[in-house]
Amino acid sequence: MAQHDTNGTNGTHDEPNKKLSEMIKDVNIAMLTTIAPDGTLNSRPMGTQDAEFDGDLWFFTEVETGKVHDVEQNPNVNVSYASDTKWISVAGQAQIVRDRAKIDQYWQESLKVFFPEGKDTPNLVLIKVEATQAQYWTSPGRVASALEFARAFVTGDEYQAGKNEKIDFK
């Protein structure tokens, strides 16, 4: 897979943000990886809020959780998404957001499954992840990948499956 670096040389991050927003929008569950005080990596499934990716990712949780404790001790996190044809890794800095206006902005009634008292759930907070770097890989699908593998094997050429791009948000 070819790797391309994109660092917003035109002064904006609109194009990479739009690309990642499109890739993320149909993958509902992410894995949020935090660093525990002892250095252990902890990954948990989290539902990404329905918001256009602008460099920030948002997740609801309650304040009395291990992930909140981890973020308060070390804000370095990673968020990963996966589907049959794409894999996305977003590294960033997390913070706990208690702002009621933000909670109202991102609240969806379907979240009552996790927070039965709704957006008035005591100790409800958001985890905001500000992306510093992202990387993604895409594949044309199983059949196309198998055909490409067979072609490369028969011809002795390099296997060309999908695309890989690294994006810096700094």
Side-chain angles (χ1 to χ4, degrees):
M1 288 186 210
Q3 180 171 334
H4 305 281
D5 288 328
T6 302
N7 60 12
T9 55
N10 62 359
T12 71
H13 296 295
D14 291 345
E15 187 176 321
N17 285 350
K18 187 174 184 176
K19 182 181 291 188
L20 282 174
S21 184
E22 283 297 312
M23 293 180 77
I24 290 170
K25 77 177 182 180
D26 63 340
V27 184
N28 297 325
I29 302 297
M31 291 298 287
L32 172 67
T33 302
T34 60
I35 304 170
D38 68 359
T40 304
L41 298 176
N42 294 312
S43 297
R44 303 159 180 91
M46 301 290 289
T48 303
Q49 298 320 300
D50 188 18
E52 177 123 359
F53 178 76
D54 61 0
D56 298 333
L57 297 167
W58 297 88
F59 305 95
F60 277 96
T61 191
E62 292 185 56
V63 77
E64 296 298 324
T65 61
K67 61 189 152 286
V68 168
H69 179 71
D70 289 354
V71 166
E72 288 174 335
Q73 298 298 308
N74 185 337
N76 295 304
V77 299
N78 191 78
V79 180
S80 58
Y81 297 87
S83 74
D84 287 343
T85 59
K86 60 189 167 193
W87 303 267
I88 305 151
S89 176
V90 180
Q93 297 286 303
Q95 63 180 295
I96 307 307
V97 176
R98 292 171 171 82
D99 181 351
R100 295 306 303 177
K102 285 290 183 193
I103 289 171
D104 288 343
Q105 177 182 347
Y106 293 114
W107 181 259
Q108 300 168 16
E109 286 302 307
S110 61
L111 291 167
K112 278 191 169 185
V113 172
F114 304 103
F115 309 103
E117 295 179 57
K119 60 184 171 183
D120 296 322
T121 297
N123 299 315
L124 184 66
V125 295
L126 286 161
I127 296 176
K128 174 186 176 184
V129 177
E130 183 179 342
T132 56
Q133 187 178 82
Q135 191 164 0
Y136 70 85
W137 299 261
T138 60
S139 170
R142 289 184 189 168
V143 173
S145 292
L147 290 172
E148 172 56 21
F149 180 84
R151 183 206 61 79
F153 183 78
V154 169
T155 64
D157 291 339
E158 184 179 351
Y159 177 69
Q160 301 291 323
K163 181 178 179 182
N164 170 236
E165 186 171 352
K166 184 176 178 181
I167 301 166
D168 287 317
F169 290 92
K170 299 174 192 171

